[in-house]
Amino acid sequence: MEGICWLCNKEKEVPEKSPLLAREGRTMQGTEAGKPIVKFNHCQKSIYSFSVPPRCPLCRHDVGSRRLEEAPISISNPFTNGHHEKCSFLLRPTQGTFLREYDGRSDLHVGITNTKGVVYNYTVHGVQRDKAGWEQSVSIPLLQPGMFGLMDQWDKYLEDFSTAGAWLPHRYEEDHHNCYSYTLMFINCVLTTEGKERLDKNEFTEKFVVPRTRKASKYITLYRAIEEQGFYVTDPPDPGRSPPPGSGSC
C-alpha cells in the first residue's frame, strides 16, 4: 500500500530507547559560513568581532599581547555546508540564507542527505535530489560513528523510500504532508529497521532540532550586530556564579 513504510514491513520487538541519531555535526568552513567570529576580553568586557583589532574599540588603547588564558577564542559556527554531510537531517530557510535573509518567522525547509551529500527533500514538485543550494544549513547527523553496515545501505534505503507513491507531487499538502513529514517518516523507518523506538514529531523537534535552532538564532543575532556596529560587547560571566540551566553563549 502507498504510504506504508517499506522498511517497516515486519513487526519487531522494540528495545529500550537507544537513539540512532548522532549528537554533533561539523561546522562549516569557507565563504558559505560568513565571516568567523572571535571573542576577546578588554576593559573588563567580552568583545565579539570578526577579527581582533589592534586597538580596543572601547578605550582605543592597544590590545597588545595577552596571557594565554586571555587569548582570543573562536566562536563555534552552527551552520554547515549540507553537501559535505553524509546521512544527515538538514534545515535551511526556504528562501535565502540564515545569516542574510532569515527573519525568525520565515518558512524553513528540511531534507536528508545521502552518502554523497545529495539532499533529498519533498516539495510540491515531488522528491527533489539537490546537489546545490544547501550550503548554509543546520545539520543533525543521523548515524552514530561506526554504523558502517547501515551506511552501506543508506543510499538504497533513501532512494527506494523516495520513489514510494506517498511522495508523488499531487500528494503534497503544505500543512500535513510536507518536507518534515517526509524526513521524519524516513528517520522512523530506519529506526524501526534497526530495532529502535520511533520518534514522534514533537519529540524529534524538541530533542534534536530546537537545541540547534536556538544556538543558530543566538549566532545570527550576534553576527548581525557585529556587521552593523563592527563589534558587540557583553559583561563577562561572573566566575563565582553558576549560570542558570539552559543558558550559555554561542
Side-chain angles (χ1 to χ4, degrees):
M1 292 178 59
E2 291 183 356
I4 299 299
C5 175
W6 60 273
L7 283 173
C8 310
N9 56 8
K10 291 195 291 184
E11 292 187 5
K12 296 193 176 186
E13 181 179 353
V14 179
E16 190 173 324
K17 181 171 289 186
S18 175
L20 176 75
L21 287 84
R23 295 291 178 176
E24 295 296 335
R26 296 174 295 171
T27 56
M28 68 191 297
Q29 301 293 329
T31 57
E32 303 94 343
K35 292 169 278 192
I37 297 177
V38 296
K39 182 184 79 169
F40 63 97
N41 296 318
H42 207 267
C43 297
Q44 298 183 327
K45 299 287 185 180
S46 294
I47 304 174
Y48 298 82
S49 64
F50 293 132
S51 62
V52 179
R55 296 182 180 276
C56 172
L58 301 179
C59 68
R60 309 308 301 172
H61 290 167
D62 189 355
V63 171
S65 60
R66 316 202 54 80
R67 295 176 297 172
L68 181 61
E69 61 269 23
E70 296 176 338
I73 61 172
S74 177
I75 303 301
S76 176
N77 189 322
F79 304 116
T80 183
N81 185 334
H83 300 290
H84 294 168
E85 301 297 321
K86 298 179 180 180
C87 311
S88 296
F89 172 96
L90 300 183
L91 177 76
R92 67 163 173 81
T94 301
Q95 301 291 333
T97 65
F98 278 113
L99 290 177
R100 295 295 180 190
E101 293 85 5
Y102 186 63
D103 62 6
R105 299 180 300 275
S106 305
D107 290 339
L108 295 170
H109 191 45
V110 299
I112 302 281
T113 59
N114 68 5
T115 61
K116 301 177 180 64
V118 177
V119 185
Y120 284 60
N121 59 101
Y122 185 48
T123 75
V124 69
H125 302 294
V127 176
Q128 308 299 302
R129 297 159 177 81
D130 296 340
K131 296 182 179 180
W134 297 74
E135 288 80 11
Q136 191 181 106
S137 304
V138 173
S139 174
I140 302 173
L142 297 176
L143 295 186
Q144 297 283 359
M147 300 184 75
F148 302 116
L150 182 53
M151 183 176 290
D152 288 342
Q153 296 295 317
W154 188 268
D155 289 357
K156 182 181 186 316
Y157 285 171
L158 185 55
E159 183 62 35
D160 289 350
F161 176 83
S162 301
T163 57
W167 312 116
L168 291 173
H170 72 276
R171 302 290 292 272
Y172 183 89
E173 296 179 16
E174 185 174 355
D175 295 326
H176 303 294
H177 194 70
N178 50 31
C179 61
Y180 208 98
S181 310
Y182 167 82
T183 55
L184 186 58
M185 187 175 289
F186 176 74
I187 290 168
N188 276 326
C189 286
V190 175
L191 285 169
T192 302
T193 300
E194 292 296 301
K196 294 178 170 61
E197 188 174 336
R198 295 164 69 91
L199 297 166
D200 64 32
K201 181 178 179 179
N202 290 337
E203 184 179 11
F204 178 77
T205 302
E206 290 298 321
K207 190 171 185 178
F208 296 101
V209 178
V210 169
R212 288 169 171 81
T213 55
R214 185 178 293 125
K215 181 178 180 180
S217 178
K218 291 180 180 179
Y219 190 90
I220 291 169
T221 300
L222 178 61
Y223 189 94
R224 291 177 180 173
I226 297 172
E227 275 200 319
E228 181 178 345
Q229 304 167 17
F231 60 93
Y232 184 78
V233 180
T234 64
D235 291 321
D238 185 346
R241 184 179 174 186
S242 298
S247 68
S249 66
C250 299

